[in-house]
């Protein structure tokens, strides 16, 4: 596949959400202007993002909503289910296991893992908690592709290495630290605290430079 910019992939996910809403509302056709407004980008950007993958619309007539929705699901690899595991069944891991809607998006929670013997053998939100020693075997048995990494930051790299060694190819990393993975393995950071810090920056009032001179 061509080298697609990460920002384009993020926007394709947004376009798909918009198209899903339009399709559910039985809207048959849309345009780059509508997608652009909903996604808060320019119509040029929408057309440029889609152009990486071919031609989808007709000049003047826009896009067929069900067709573009189907094409974006195919482009994003969402036409098959993905099996998911949770590494670290503490507060966050358990909350994620309790979230009932992953399967609605074809992400199927198959297993969870923890080093704490008191958690192993428990059943949380419909998923069994296994010892990390069983990782390789369970990943193979359930064809698990993706893991949520919800361990403390100090052990996150080591836990990620174990996931990779067991055959996991995609990691959604909730630990506030940078994780290195080999080529062919993909990591997506989910950093709540970074989001909070950005909010603090915007909410603090005048920018620091303006305050210095005030
Ligand atoms: P927690 O301490 O409640 O849970 C961590 C779990 O990981 C424990 O069950 C522990 O036994 C397990 N663990 C430790 N080492 C392990 C290893 N090597 N392999 C597998 N399991 C291991 O922590 P938490 O609050 O659930 O947070 C988890 C991660 O998510 C942390 O990195 C935290 O900074 C991040 N995070 C949490 C929140 C939140 O709302 N709880 C928010 C933002 C970020």
């Amino acid at each position: 596949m061509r080298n697609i910019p990460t920002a384009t992939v993020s926007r394709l996910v947004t376009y798909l959400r918009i198209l899903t809403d339009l399709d559910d509302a039985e809207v048959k056709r849309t345009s780059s202007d509508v997608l652009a407004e909903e996604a808060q980008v320019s119509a040029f950007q929408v057309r440029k993002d889609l152009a990486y993958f071919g031609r989808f619309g007709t000049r003047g007539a826009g896009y067929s909503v069900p067709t573009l929705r189907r094409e974006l699901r195919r482009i994003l690899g969402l036409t098959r289910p993905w099996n998911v595991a949770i590494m670290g069944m503490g507060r966050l891991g358990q909350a994620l296991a309790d979230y009932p809607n992953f399967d609605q998006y074809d992400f199927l929670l198959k297993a969870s893992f923890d080093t704490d013997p008191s958690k192993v053998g428990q059943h949380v939100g419909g998923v069994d908690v296994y010892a990390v020693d069983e990782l390789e075997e369970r990943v193979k048995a359930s064809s698990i592709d993706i893991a949520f990494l919800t361990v403390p930051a100090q052990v996150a790299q080591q836990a990620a290495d174990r996931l990779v060694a067991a055959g996991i190819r995609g990691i959604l990393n909730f630990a506030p630290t940078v994780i290195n993975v080999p080529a062919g393995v993909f990591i997506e950071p989910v950093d709540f605290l970074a989001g909070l810090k950005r909010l603090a920056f915007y909410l603090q009032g005048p920018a620091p430079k303006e305050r210095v001179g005030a």
Side-chain angles (χ1 to χ4, degrees):
M1 198 200 279
R2 282 169 64 183
N3 239 354
I4 307 299
T6 313
T8 292
V9 179
S10 298
R11 285 191 294 268
L12 292 181
V13 172
T14 305
Y15 304 152
L16 177 58
R17 179 182 49 71
I18 297 163
L19 286 160
T20 303
D21 289 347
L22 290 172
D23 206 13
D24 290 350
E26 297 186 19
V27 175
K28 297 293 172 217
R29 297 201 73 83
T30 192
S31 64
S32 47
D33 285 328
V34 169
L35 291 175
E37 192 176 331
E38 290 286 325
Q40 299 187 327
V41 296
S42 68
F44 172 76
Q45 185 70 66
V46 172
R47 290 192 293 269
K48 188 174 165 201
D49 288 335
L50 295 176
Y52 280 106
F53 305 94
R55 280 178 54 99
F56 300 102
T58 319
R59 192 175 276 275
Y63 307 103
S64 151
V65 169
T67 306
L68 190 56
R69 179 187 182 185
R70 197 171 53 242
E71 286 298 312
L72 282 187
R73 280 175 54 84
R74 180 185 60 74
I75 289 164
L76 288 166
L78 295 172
T79 51
R80 54 159 278 196
W82 294 95
N83 296 328
V84 178
I86 302 177
M87 184 72 148
M89 283 297 275
R91 284 161 293 197
L92 187 54
Q94 293 192 26
L96 288 167
D98 265 333
Y99 179 67
N101 291 341
F102 289 121
D103 56 353
Q104 202 178 300
Y105 300 95
D106 264 356
F107 292 102
L108 312 178
L109 213 47
K110 292 290 183 182
S112 71
F113 301 89
D114 205 289
T115 44
D116 181 348
S118 73
K119 288 181 179 153
V120 173
Q122 286 187 9
H123 192 74
V124 183
V127 70
D128 290 321
V129 185
Y130 297 104
V132 174
D133 289 343
E134 290 187 58
L135 188 62
E136 211 146 301
E137 181 191 331
R138 295 283 162 194
V139 165
K140 269 202 193 79
S142 300
S143 303
I144 297 171
D145 314 283
I146 294 173
F148 297 157
L149 185 58
T150 48
V151 300
Q154 313 85 276
V155 295
Q157 181 65 58
Q158 164 203 330
D161 292 345
R162 288 199 77 159
L163 289 170
V164 172
I168 294 288
R169 294 188 304 121
I171 298 174
L172 197 59
N173 174 34
F174 290 84
T177 186
V178 174
I179 301 289
N180 296 305
V181 287
V185 178
F186 299 89
I187 189 133
E188 274 287 326
V190 179
D191 195 339
F192 292 88
L193 291 174
L196 276 176
K197 287 173 190 167
R198 284 194 294 272
L199 280 177
F201 173 79
Y202 292 120
L203 295 183
Q204 69 184 329
K209 199 171 151 201
E210 289 167 40
R211 275 189 275 130
V212 169

